[in-house]
Amino acid sequence: AQKITQTQPGMFVQEKEAVTLDCTYDTSDPSYGLFWYKQPSSGEMIFLIYQGSYDQQNATEGRYSLNFQKARKSANLVISASQLGDSAMYFCAMREINQAGTALIFGKGTTLSVSS
Amino acid sequence: EADIYQTPRYLVIGTGKKITLECSQTMGHDKMYWYQQDPGMELHLIHYSYGVNSTEKGDLSSESTVSRIRTEHFPLTLESARPSHTSQYLCASSATRGSGGPRETQYFGPGTRLLVL
């Protein structure tokens, strides 16, 4: 079964609009972490934001916020006031406590295109 | 800000050649990882290391090998490159936090795009 599901292959938004990128996850571990990464066309993976399963508040980092709904097992990334430079592929990833120290499990990604 | 480097950034090579992809980090991180990513697809772990002289295979089977002789260096070697090895290879590192846990953030290098003809 897929652990991380990103159902939107592509999203299109205009500058200054907000956009939500969906991510659902599947785990039976009580302790886990959720990450979002941005991958521009140049190929590097840029860490954006982290949410822990026990965190009481939704994570925020500048224009990025994470809409964490634990009961629904969703961790959607919200980008406010989109910019042209936000055009990239976005990956949701998870680490479970029993996998601590090993790899992240990645979703298939969502391509975001921001137009002027 | 993470300091993790990969060379070469791009490599075009013929079938049967031996290649080594370099990865170095200057953050003193104990854990390092290699991921493989086909264009437009998700990342898959192929190797990881918890520290010097520690290497493990990841979830995705790979014909490559790795070594970890120094903390900062985690090279990946393909003894005989084939067209099926064409992909992007991403190196990452993370530091153990406290007693461990899901919070460890992995920082990635810029990647190596490999094309085997």
Side-chain angles (χ1 to χ4, degrees), chain A residues 2 31-33 35 37 39-47 50 89 91 95-97 99-109, chain B residues 9-10 31 33 35 37 40-45 48-50 59 88 90 94 100-111 113:
Chain A
Q2 204 162 8
S31 179
Y32 52 89
F35 301 77
Y37 284 85
Q39 187 176 44
S41 57
S42 51
E44 73 269 31
M45 294 284 285
I46 302 166
F47 166 69
Y50 166 83
M89 200 154 183
F91 289 93
R95 178 185 291 115
E96 298 161 299
I97 185 64
Q99 296 293 320
T102 59
L104 295 169
I105 304 165
F106 285 87
K108 293 184 181 295
Chain B
R9 291 294 313 276
Y10 305 92
K31 299 187 179 82
Y33 314 81
Y35 292 86
Q37 183 188 26
M41 302 297 287
E42 68 268 46
L43 282 70
H44 291 285
L45 180 73
Y48 62 97
S49 167
Y50 287 154
D59 302 322
Q88 173 162 251
L90 288 153
S94 66
R103 177 60 180 94
E104 293 175 19
T105 298
Q106 291 186 15
Y107 295 97
F108 285 79
R113 292 187 179 179

Side-chain angles (χ1 to χ4, degrees), chain A:
Chain A
Q2 204 162 8
K3 293 250 182 183
I4 296 286
T5 302
Q6 295 180 254
T7 57
Q8 308 154 311
M11 290 285 285
F12 298 87
V13 68
Q14 288 202 312
E15 269 186 301
K16 301 180 184 176
E17 290 183 350
V19 62
T20 298
L21 306 183
D22 294 342
C23 173
T24 57
Y25 59 92
D26 181 26
T27 182
S28 56
D29 280 339
S31 179
Y32 52 89
L34 296 155
F35 301 77
W36 276 92
Y37 284 85
K38 171 185 178 181
Q39 187 176 44
S41 57
S42 51
E44 73 269 31
M45 294 284 285
I46 302 166
F47 166 69
L48 295 178
I49 197 166
Y50 166 83
Q51 179 82 44
S53 58
Y54 291 122
D55 293 344
Q56 294 298 312
Q57 293 187 325
N58 288 342
T60 61
E61 290 285 349
R63 293 186 299 111
Y64 305 108
S65 61
L66 205 151
N67 183 2
F68 181 48
Q69 297 186 44
K70 194 170 180 177
R72 298 178 62 183
K73 292 188 176 178
S74 75
N76 299 338
L77 177 70
V78 180
I79 305 174
S80 63
S82 298
Q83 301 172 356
L84 293 177
D86 293 335
S87 293
M89 200 154 183
Y90 289 79
F91 289 93
C92 180
M94 176 176 67
R95 178 185 291 115
E96 298 161 299
I97 185 64
N98 65 1
Q99 296 293 320
T102 59
L104 295 169
I105 304 165
F106 285 87
K108 293 184 181 295
T110 295
T111 299
L112 175 65
S113 299
V114 182
S115 59
S116 57

